[in-house]
Amino acid sequence: MDYVQRSFERFMADEYGAALAFARATSRDWSEAEDLTQDAFVAALRNWSEVARYERPDAFVRRVIANQQVSRVRRRVREFAKAHLVASNESTETELGDGAFWDAVQQLPMRQRQVIALHYVEDRSVSDIAAVLEIAEGTVKAHLHAARHALARLLGDEIDDEEGV
């Protein structure tokens, strides 16, 4: 069944878990991921008559999550700057508890975290990731390449440069 033909409730039932997994993989903590996911679905519901016409409404939801993450980071930076506080890792980060790999992912820049999550958590193709994040496929490939190398460095592993995207 085509996305356009489904009701919002069915769309949310089908997509909520995957969207939450994306938000969780790219967020610093569970409650933030839940908030981001719920806010993204609220935005989709508010504009459902337009969103339902999209070829990929799931991409709309992921894009809202990604944009909210960037906005939250910017807001946090402004708040810290205004208060003249120096944020330490202990006071600003919540333990993920998902192992060394996801701890390392959290050290990557936001866009690289998003690309890694979409590629490995949701098993999306480069073209799907480009559509979700509204960036060029070449940019997705560059982020994947940089993220893989950074993760290999952080985890003390070697990376195979022949690995395909």
Side-chain angles (χ1 to χ4, degrees):
M1 181 180 286
D2 189 16
Y3 277 131
V4 177
Q5 297 173 349
R6 290 194 285 186
S7 69
F8 175 79
E9 293 81 15
R10 184 72 188 150
F11 168 74
M12 185 171 170
D14 289 348
E15 291 296 325
Y16 190 85
L20 180 59
F22 168 66
R24 176 65 179 115
T26 59
S27 296
R28 300 248 179 229
D29 69 30
W30 185 251
S31 64
E32 180 179 346
E34 288 176 327
D35 289 345
L36 289 166
T37 304
Q38 290 170 7
D39 290 346
F41 278 99
V42 167
L45 177 60
R46 284 186 184 140
N47 302 302
W48 187 243
S49 62
E50 295 168 25
V51 173
R53 292 184 206 151
Y54 288 11
E55 184 178 329
R56 300 289 311 272
D58 60 315
F60 173 87
V61 169
R62 302 313 187 284
R63 192 167 33 257
V64 170
I65 291 170
N67 290 343
Q68 287 177 344
Q69 288 172 323
V70 170
S71 295
R72 286 179 182 211
V73 168
R74 288 179 181 152
R75 186 171 46 252
R76 286 180 188 142
V77 169
R78 281 193 309 269
E79 289 169 0
F80 285 131
K82 286 178 184 177
H84 301 289
L85 295 175
V86 176
S88 70
N89 286 340
E90 292 175 303
S91 66
T92 60
E93 293 184 9
T94 303
E95 184 63 37
L96 286 175
D98 289 340
F101 177 77
W102 290 109
D103 289 340
V105 168
Q106 294 303 313
Q107 296 178 46
L108 299 175
M110 177 64 70
R111 188 60 87 188
Q112 288 180 14
R113 289 196 317 252
Q114 293 168 343
V115 169
I116 288 290
L118 288 169
H119 188 67
Y120 291 107
V121 174
E122 295 195 14
D123 197 29
R124 289 183 181 258
S125 68
V126 169
S127 60
D128 282 348
I129 296 168
V132 167
L133 299 177
E134 292 185 325
I135 58 178
E137 288 184 27
T139 304
V140 172
K141 290 177 184 179
H143 284 307
L144 277 172
H145 178 80
R148 286 177 179 145
H149 281 273
L151 289 169
R153 209 172 35 259
L154 289 167
L155 297 169
D157 292 336
E158 303 241 347
I159 191 161
D160 180 6
D161 281 328
E162 299 299 316
E163 180 182 349
V165 177

Coordinates of all heavy atoms in Angstrom, one line a residue, residues 48-124:
W48 N -0.5 17.0 7.9 CA -0.7 15.7 7.2 C -1.2 15.8 5.8 O -0.8 15.0 4.9 CB -1.5 14.8 8.1 CG -1.6 13.4 7.6 CD1 -2.7 12.8 7.1 CD2 -0.5 12.5 7.4 NE1 -2.4 11.5 6.7 CE2 -1.0 11.3 6.8 CE3 0.8 12.6 7.6 CZ2 -0.3 10.2 6.5 CZ3 1.6 11.5 7.3 CH2 1.1 10.4 6.7
S49 N -2.1 16.7 5.6 CA -2.7 16.8 4.2 C -1.6 17.1 3.2 O -1.7 16.6 2.1 CB -3.8 17.9 4.2 OG -3.2 19.2 4.5
E50 N -0.6 17.9 3.6 CA 0.6 18.1 2.7 C 1.6 17.0 2.7 O 2.1 16.6 1.7 CB 1.2 19.4 3.0 CG 0.3 20.6 2.8 CD 0.8 21.9 3.4 OE1 2.0 22.0 3.6 OE2 0.0 22.8 3.7
V51 N 1.9 16.5 3.9 CA 2.9 15.5 4.1 C 2.5 14.2 3.4 O 3.4 13.5 2.8 CB 3.2 15.3 5.6 CG1 4.2 14.1 5.8 CG2 3.8 16.5 6.3
A52 N 1.3 13.9 3.5 CA 0.8 12.6 2.9 C 1.0 12.6 1.4 O 1.0 11.5 0.8 CB -0.7 12.4 3.3
R53 N 1.1 13.8 0.8 CA 1.3 13.9 -0.6 C 2.8 13.6 -1.0 O 3.0 13.4 -2.2 CB 0.9 15.2 -1.2 CG -0.6 15.5 -1.1 CD -1.0 16.8 -1.7 NE -2.2 17.3 -1.0 CZ -2.5 18.5 -0.9 NH1 -1.7 19.5 -1.3 NH2 -3.6 18.8 -0.3
Y54 N 3.7 13.7 0.0 CA 5.1 13.4 -0.3 C 5.2 12.0 -0.8 O 4.5 11.1 -0.3 CB 5.9 13.6 0.9 CG 6.2 15.0 1.4 CD1 5.5 16.1 0.9 CD2 7.1 15.3 2.4 CE1 5.7 17.4 1.4 CE2 7.3 16.5 2.9 CZ 6.6 17.6 2.3 OH 6.8 18.8 2.8
E55 N 6.2 11.8 -1.7 CA 6.5 10.4 -2.1 C 7.0 9.6 -0.9 O 6.8 8.4 -0.7 CB 7.5 10.4 -3.2 CG 7.8 9.0 -3.7 CD 8.8 9.1 -4.9 OE1 8.8 10.1 -5.6 OE2 9.6 8.1 -5.0
R56 N 7.7 10.3 0.1 CA 8.4 9.7 1.2 C 8.0 10.4 2.5 O 8.9 11.2 3.0 CB 9.9 9.6 1.0 CG 10.4 8.8 -0.2 CD 10.2 7.3 -0.1 NE 10.6 6.8 1.1 CZ 11.9 6.4 1.4 NH1 12.8 6.4 0.4 NH2 12.2 5.9 2.6
P57 N 6.9 10.3 3.1 CA 6.6 11.0 4.3 C 7.5 10.6 5.5 O 7.8 11.3 6.4 CB 5.1 10.6 4.7 CG 4.6 9.9 3.5 CD 5.7 9.5 2.6
D58 N 8.1 9.3 5.4 CA 9.0 8.9 6.4 C 10.3 9.8 6.4 O 10.9 10.1 7.4 CB 9.4 7.4 6.2 CG 10.0 7.1 4.9 OD1 9.5 7.6 3.9 OD2 11.0 6.4 4.8
A59 N 10.6 10.2 5.2 CA 11.8 11.1 5.1 C 11.5 12.5 5.7 O 12.4 13.1 6.3 CB 12.2 11.3 3.6
F60 N 10.2 12.9 5.6 CA 9.8 14.2 6.2 C 10.1 14.1 7.8 O 10.6 15.0 8.4 CB 8.4 14.5 6.0 CG 7.8 15.7 6.7 CD1 8.0 17.0 6.3 CD2 7.2 15.5 8.0 CE1 7.5 18.0 7.0 CE2 6.7 16.5 8.7 CZ 6.8 17.8 8.2
V61 N 9.6 13.0 8.3 CA 9.8 12.8 9.8 C 11.3 12.8 10.2 O 11.7 13.4 11.2 CB 9.0 11.5 10.3 CG1 9.4 11.1 11.7 CG2 7.5 11.7 10.1
R62 N 12.1 12.0 9.4 CA 13.5 12.0 9.8 C 14.2 13.3 9.6 O 15.0 13.7 10.4 CB 14.3 11.0 8.9 CG 13.8 9.5 8.9 CD 13.6 8.9 10.2 NE 13.3 7.5 10.1 CZ 12.1 7.0 9.7 NH1 11.1 7.7 9.4 NH2 12.0 5.7 9.7
R63 N 13.7 14.1 8.6 CA 14.3 15.4 8.4 C 13.9 16.3 9.6 O 14.7 17.1 10.0 CB 13.8 16.0 7.1 CG 14.5 17.2 6.6 CD 14.2 17.6 5.2 NE 12.9 17.3 4.7 CZ 12.6 16.3 3.9 NH1 13.5 15.4 3.5 NH2 11.4 16.1 3.4
V64 N 12.7 16.2 10.1 CA 12.3 17.0 11.2 C 13.1 16.7 12.4 O 13.6 17.6 13.1 CB 10.8 16.9 11.5 CG1 10.4 17.5 12.9 CG2 9.9 17.5 10.4
I65 N 13.4 15.4 12.6 CA 14.2 15.0 13.8 C 15.6 15.5 13.6 O 16.2 16.1 14.5 CB 14.3 13.4 13.9 CG1 12.9 12.9 14.3 CG2 15.4 13.0 14.8 CD1 12.8 11.4 14.2
A66 N 16.2 15.4 12.4 CA 17.5 15.9 12.2 C 17.6 17.4 12.4 O 18.6 17.9 13.0 CB 18.0 15.6 10.7
N67 N 16.6 18.1 11.9 CA 16.6 19.6 12.0 C 16.5 20.0 13.5 O 17.1 21.0 13.9 CB 15.5 20.2 11.2 CG 15.8 20.2 9.7 OD1 17.0 19.9 9.3 ND2 14.8 20.3 8.9
Q68 N 15.6 19.3 14.2 CA 15.5 19.6 15.6 C 16.8 19.3 16.4 O 17.1 20.1 17.3 CB 14.4 18.7 16.2 CG 13.0 19.1 15.8 CD 12.0 18.1 16.4 OE1 12.3 17.0 16.9 NE2 10.7 18.5 16.4
Q69 N 17.5 18.3 16.0 CA 18.7 18.0 16.7 C 19.7 19.2 16.5 O 20.4 19.6 17.4 CB 19.3 16.7 16.2 CG 18.6 15.5 16.7 CD 19.1 14.2 16.0 OE1 19.4 14.2 14.9 NE2 19.1 13.2 16.8
V70 N 19.8 19.6 15.3 CA 20.7 20.7 15.0 C 20.3 22.0 15.8 O 21.1 22.7 16.4 CB 20.8 21.0 13.5 CG1 21.5 22.3 13.2 CG2 21.4 19.8 12.8
S71 N 19.0 22.2 15.8 CA 18.5 23.4 16.5 C 18.7 23.3 18.0 O 19.1 24.3 18.7 CB 17.0 23.6 16.3 OG 16.7 23.8 15.0
R72 N 18.6 22.1 18.6 CA 18.8 21.9 20.0 C 20.3 22.1 20.3 O 20.7 22.7 21.3 CB 18.4 20.5 20.4 CG 16.9 20.4 20.6 CD 16.5 19.0 21.0 NE 15.0 19.0 21.0 CZ 14.4 18.2 21.9 NH1 15.0 17.4 22.7 NH2 13.1 18.2 21.8
V73 N 21.2 21.7 19.5 CA 22.6 21.9 19.7 C 22.9 23.4 19.6 O 23.6 23.9 20.5 CB 23.5 21.1 18.6 CG1 24.9 21.5 18.7 CG2 23.3 19.6 18.9
R74 N 22.4 24.0 18.6 CA 22.7 25.5 18.5 C 22.1 26.2 19.8 O 22.8 27.1 20.3 CB 22.0 26.0 17.3 CG 22.8 25.6 16.0 CD 22.1 26.2 14.8 NE 22.8 25.7 13.6 CZ 22.2 25.6 12.4 NH1 20.9 25.8 12.3 NH2 22.9 25.2 11.4
R75 N 21.0 25.8 20.2 CA 20.3 26.5 21.4 C 21.2 26.3 22.6 O 21.4 27.2 23.4 CB 18.9 26.0 21.6 CG 18.2 26.7 22.7 CD 16.7 26.3 22.8 NE 16.4 24.9 22.7 CZ 15.9 24.3 21.6 NH1 15.5 25.0 20.5 NH2 15.6 23.0 21.6
R76 N 21.7 25.0 22.8 CA 22.5 24.7 23.9 C 23.8 25.6 23.9 O 24.3 26.1 24.9 CB 22.9 23.2 24.0 CG 21.8 22.4 24.4 CD 22.2 20.9 24.4 NE 21.0 20.1 24.6 CZ 20.8 18.9 24.1 NH1 21.7 18.4 23.2 NH2 19.7 18.2 24.4
V77 N 24.4 25.7 22.7 CA 25.6 26.4 22.6 C 25.4 27.9 23.0 O 26.1 28.5 23.7 CB 26.2 26.3 21.2 CG1 27.3 27.3 21.0 CG2 26.7 24.9 20.9
R78 N 24.3 28.5 22.5 CA 23.9 29.8 22.8 C 23.7 30.0 24.3 O 24.1 31.0 24.9 CB 22.7 30.3 22.1 CG 23.0 30.7 20.6 CD 21.8 31.4 20.0 NE 20.5 30.7 20.2 CZ 20.0 29.8 19.3 NH1 20.7 29.5 18.3 NH2 18.8 29.3 19.6
E79 N 23.0 29.0 24.9 CA 22.7 29.1 26.4 C 24.0 29.1 27.2 O 24.1 29.9 28.1 CB 21.8 28.0 26.8 CG 20.4 28.1 26.3 CD 19.5 26.9 26.5 OE1 20.0 25.8 27.0 OE2 18.3 26.9 26.1
F80 N 24.9 28.2 26.8 CA 26.2 28.1 27.5 C 27.0 29.4 27.3 O 27.6 29.9 28.3 CB 27.0 26.9 27.1 CG 26.5 25.6 27.6 CD1 26.3 24.5 26.8 CD2 26.2 25.5 29.0 CE1 25.8 23.3 27.3 CE2 25.7 24.3 29.5 CZ 25.5 23.2 28.6
A81 N 27.0 29.9 26.1 CA 27.7 31.2 25.9 C 27.1 32.3 26.7 O 27.9 33.1 27.2 CB 27.7 31.5 24.4
K82 N 25.8 32.4 26.7 CA 25.2 33.5 27.4 C 25.5 33.4 28.9 O 25.7 34.4 29.6 CB 23.7 33.5 27.3 CG 23.2 34.0 25.9 CD 21.7 33.9 25.8 CE 21.3 34.2 24.4 NZ 19.8 34.1 24.2
A83 N 25.6 32.3 29.4 CA 25.8 32.1 30.9 C 27.3 32.0 31.2 O 27.7 31.9 32.3 CB 25.2 30.8 31.4
H84 N 28.1 32.1 30.2 CA 29.6 32.0 30.3 C 30.0 30.8 31.1 O 30.9 30.8 31.9 CB 30.1 33.3 31.0 CG 29.8 34.5 30.3 ND1 30.4 34.9 29.1 CD2 28.9 35.5 30.6 CE1 29.9 36.0 28.7 NE2 29.0 36.4 29.6
L85 N 29.4 29.7 30.8 CA 29.7 28.4 31.4 C 30.6 27.6 30.5 O 30.4 27.6 29.3 CB 28.4 27.6 31.7 CG 27.5 28.2 32.7 CD1 26.2 27.4 32.8 CD2 28.1 28.4 34.1
V86 N 31.5 26.9 31.1 CA 32.3 25.9 30.3 C 31.7 24.6 30.6 O 31.6 24.1 31.7 CB 33.7 26.0 30.7 CG1 34.5 24.9 30.0 CG2 34.3 27.3 30.5
A87 N 31.2 24.0 29.5 CA 30.5 22.7 29.7 C 31.6 21.6 29.8 O 32.4 21.5 28.9 CB 29.6 22.4 28.5
S88 N 31.5 20.8 30.8 CA 32.3 19.6 30.9 C 31.6 18.4 30.4 O 30.4 18.4 30.3 CB 32.8 19.4 32.3 OG 31.7 18.9 33.1
N89 N 32.3 17.4 29.9 CA 31.7 16.2 29.5 C 30.8 15.6 30.5 O 29.7 15.0 30.2 CB 32.7 15.1 29.0 CG 33.3 15.5 27.7 OD1 32.8 16.3 27.0 ND2 34.5 15.0 27.5
E90 N 31.2 15.6 31.8 CA 30.4 15.0 32.8 C 29.0 15.7 33.0 O 28.0 15.1 33.3 CB 31.1 15.1 34.2 CG 32.3 14.2 34.2 CD 33.1 14.4 35.5 OE1 33.5 15.5 35.8 OE2 33.3 13.4 36.2
S91 N 29.0 17.0 32.8 CA 27.7 17.7 33.1 C 26.8 17.8 31.9 O 25.6 18.0 32.1 CB 28.0 19.2 33.6 OG 28.6 19.9 32.5
T92 N 27.3 17.6 30.7 CA 26.4 17.8 29.5 C 26.0 16.5 28.8 O 25.1 16.5 28.0 CB 27.1 18.7 28.5 OG1 28.3 18.1 28.1 CG2 27.3 20.1 29.1
E93 N 26.7 15.4 29.1 CA 26.5 14.2 28.4 C 25.8 13.1 29.3 O 26.2 13.0 30.4 CB 27.8 13.6 27.8 CG 28.3 14.5 26.7 CD 29.5 13.9 26.0 OE1 29.8 12.7 26.3 OE2 30.2 14.6 25.3
T94 N 24.9 12.5 28.7 CA 24.3 11.3 29.4 C 24.9 10.1 28.9 O 25.0 9.9 27.7 CB 22.7 11.4 29.2 OG1 22.2 12.6 29.6 CG2 22.1 10.3 29.9
E95 N 25.1 9.1 29.8 CA 25.7 7.9 29.3 C 24.7 7.1 28.5 O 23.6 7.0 28.8 CB 26.0 7.0 30.6 CG 26.7 5.7 30.3 CD 28.0 5.9 29.6 OE1 28.8 6.8 30.0 OE2 28.4 5.1 28.8
L96 N 25.2 6.7 27.3 CA 24.3 5.9 26.4 C 24.1 4.5 26.8 O 23.0 4.0 26.7 CB 25.0 5.9 25.0 CG 24.9 7.2 24.2 CD1 25.7 7.1 22.9 CD2 23.5 7.6 24.0
G97 N 25.1 3.8 27.3 CA 25.0 2.5 27.7 C 24.8 1.5 26.6 O 24.3 0.4 26.8
D98 N 25.1 1.9 25.4 CA 24.9 1.0 24.2 C 26.2 0.4 23.7 O 26.3 0.0 22.5 CB 24.2 1.7 23.1 CG 22.8 2.0 23.4 OD1 22.2 1.3 24.3 OD2 22.2 2.9 22.8
G99 N 27.3 0.5 24.5 CA 28.5 -0.1 24.0 C 29.5 0.9 23.4 O 29.1 2.1 23.2
A100 N 30.7 0.4 23.2 CA 31.8 1.3 22.7 C 31.5 1.9 21.4 O 31.8 3.1 21.1 CB 33.1 0.5 22.6
F101 N 30.8 1.2 20.5 CA 30.5 1.7 19.1 C 29.7 2.9 19.2 O 30.0 4.0 18.7 CB 29.9 0.7 18.3 CG 29.5 1.2 16.9 CD1 30.5 1.4 15.9 CD2 28.2 1.5 16.6 CE1 30.1 1.9 14.7 CE2 27.8 2.0 15.4 CZ 28.8 2.2 14.4
W102 N 28.5 2.8 20.0 CA 27.6 4.0 20.0 C 28.2 5.1 20.9 O 27.9 6.3 20.6 CB 26.2 3.5 20.5 CG 25.6 2.7 19.4 CD1 25.4 1.4 19.5 CD2 25.2 3.2 18.1 NE1 24.8 1.0 18.3 CE2 24.7 2.1 17.4 CE3 25.2 4.4 17.5 CZ2 24.2 2.1 16.1 CZ3 24.7 4.5 16.2 CH2 24.2 3.4 15.5
D103 N 29.1 4.8 21.8 CA 29.8 5.8 22.5 C 30.7 6.6 21.6 O 30.7 7.8 21.6 CB 30.6 5.3 23.7 CG 29.8 4.8 24.8 OD1 28.6 5.2 24.9 OD2 30.3 3.9 25.6
A104 N 31.3 5.9 20.7 CA 32.2 6.5 19.7 C 31.3 7.3 18.7 O 31.7 8.4 18.3 CB 33.0 5.5 19.0
V105 N 30.2 6.8 18.3 CA 29.3 7.5 17.4 C 28.9 8.9 17.9 O 28.9 9.9 17.2 CB 28.1 6.7 17.0 CG1 27.0 7.5 16.3 CG2 28.4 5.5 16.2
Q106 N 28.7 8.9 19.2 CA 28.3 10.2 19.9 C 29.4 11.2 19.8 O 29.1 12.4 20.0 CB 27.9 9.9 21.3 CG 26.6 9.1 21.5 CD 25.4 9.7 20.8 OE1 25.2 10.9 20.9 NE2 24.7 8.9 20.0
Q107 N 30.6 10.8 19.5 CA 31.7 11.8 19.4 C 31.8 12.4 18.0 O 32.6 13.4 17.8 CB 33.0 11.1 19.8 CG 33.1 10.7 21.3 CD 34.3 10.0 21.6 OE1 35.4 10.4 21.2 NE2 34.2 8.8 22.3
L108 N 31.1 11.9 17.1 CA 31.1 12.4 15.7 C 30.3 13.7 15.6 O 29.4 13.9 16.4 CB 30.5 11.3 14.8 CG 31.2 10.0 14.7 CD1 30.5 9.0 13.8 CD2 32.7 10.2 14.2
P109 N 30.5 14.5 14.6 CA 29.7 15.6 14.3 C 28.2 15.1 14.0 O 28.0 14.0 13.6 CB 30.3 16.2 13.0 CG 31.7 15.8 13.0 CD 31.7 14.4 13.7
M110 N 27.3 16.0 14.3 CA 25.9 15.7 14.2 C 25.5 15.0 12.8 O 24.9 14.0 12.8 CB 25.0 16.9 14.4 CG 23.5 16.7 14.2 SD 22.8 15.5 15.4 CE 22.9 16.5 16.9
R111 N 25.9 15.6 11.7 CA 25.5 15.1 10.4 C 26.1 13.7 10.2 O 25.4 12.8 9.7 CB 26.0 16.1 9.3 CG 25.4 15.7 8.0 CD 23.9 15.7 7.9 NE 23.4 17.0 7.6 CZ 22.2 17.4 7.6 NH1 21.3 16.5 7.9 NH2 21.8 18.6 7.3
Q112 N 27.3 13.5 10.7 CA 27.9 12.1 10.5 C 27.1 11.1 11.4 O 26.9 10.0 11.0 CB 29.4 12.1 10.9 CG 30.3 12.8 9.9 CD 31.7 12.8 10.3 OE1 32.2 12.1 11.2 NE2 32.5 13.6 9.6
R113 N 26.7 11.5 12.6 CA 25.9 10.6 13.4 C 24.6 10.3 12.7 O 24.1 9.1 12.7 CB 25.6 11.3 14.8 CG 26.8 11.4 15.7 CD 26.4 11.7 17.1 NE 25.4 12.7 17.4 CZ 25.6 13.9 17.9 NH1 26.9 14.3 18.2 NH2 24.6 14.7 18.1
Q114 N 24.0 11.3 12.1 CA 22.7 11.1 11.4 C 22.9 10.1 10.3 O 22.1 9.2 10.1 CB 22.1 12.4 10.9 CG 21.7 13.3 12.1 CD 21.4 14.7 11.6 OE1 21.8 15.1 10.5 NE2 20.7 15.4 12.5
V115 N 23.9 10.3 9.5 CA 24.2 9.4 8.3 C 24.5 8.0 8.8 O 23.9 7.0 8.2 CB 25.3 10.0 7.4 CG1 25.8 9.0 6.4 CG2 24.9 11.3 6.8
I116 N 25.3 7.8 9.8 CA 25.6 6.5 10.3 C 24.3 5.8 10.8 O 24.1 4.7 10.5 CB 26.6 6.6 11.5 CG1 28.0 7.0 10.9 CG2 26.7 5.3 12.3 CD1 28.7 5.8 10.1
A117 N 23.5 6.6 11.5 CA 22.3 6.0 12.1 C 21.3 5.5 10.9 O 20.8 4.4 11.0 CB 21.5 6.9 13.0
L118 N 21.1 6.4 10.0 CA 20.3 6.0 8.8 C 20.8 4.8 8.1 O 20.0 4.0 7.6 CB 20.1 7.2 7.9 CG 19.2 8.3 8.5 CD1 19.3 9.6 7.6 CD2 17.7 7.9 8.6
H119 N 22.1 4.8 7.9 CA 22.7 3.7 7.1 C 22.7 2.4 7.9 O 22.4 1.4 7.3 CB 24.1 4.1 6.7 CG 24.8 3.2 5.7 ND1 24.3 3.0 4.4 CD2 25.8 2.3 5.9 CE1 25.1 2.1 3.8 NE2 26.0 1.7 4.7
Y120 N 23.2 2.4 9.1 CA 23.4 1.2 9.9 C 22.2 0.8 10.7 O 21.9 -0.4 10.8 CB 24.6 1.3 10.7 CG 25.9 1.3 9.9 CD1 26.6 2.4 9.7 CD2 26.3 0.1 9.2 CE1 27.7 2.4 8.9 CE2 27.4 0.1 8.4 CZ 28.1 1.3 8.3 OH 29.2 1.3 7.5
V121 N 21.4 1.7 11.3 CA 20.3 1.3 12.1 C 19.1 1.1 11.2 O 18.4 0.1 11.4 CB 19.9 2.5 13.1 CG1 18.7 2.1 13.9 CG2 21.1 2.6 14.1
E122 N 18.9 1.9 10.2 CA 17.7 1.8 9.4 C 18.0 1.1 8.0 O 17.1 0.9 7.2 CB 17.0 3.1 9.1 CG 16.5 3.7 10.4 CD 15.5 4.9 10.1 OE1 15.1 5.0 8.9 OE2 15.2 5.6 11.1
D123 N 19.3 0.8 7.8 CA 19.7 0.1 6.6 C 19.2 0.8 5.3 O 18.7 0.2 4.4 CB 19.2 -1.4 6.6 CG 19.9 -2.2 5.6 OD1 21.1 -1.9 5.3 OD2 19.3 -3.2 5.1
R124 N 19.4 2.1 5.3 CA 19.0 2.9 4.2 C 20.1 3.1 3.2 O 21.3 3.1 3.6 CB 18.5 4.3 4.6 CG 17.2 4.3 5.4 CD 16.8 5.7 5.7 NE 15.5 5.7 6.4 CZ 14.3 5.9 5.9 NH1 14.2 6.3 4.6 NH2 13.2 5.9 6.6

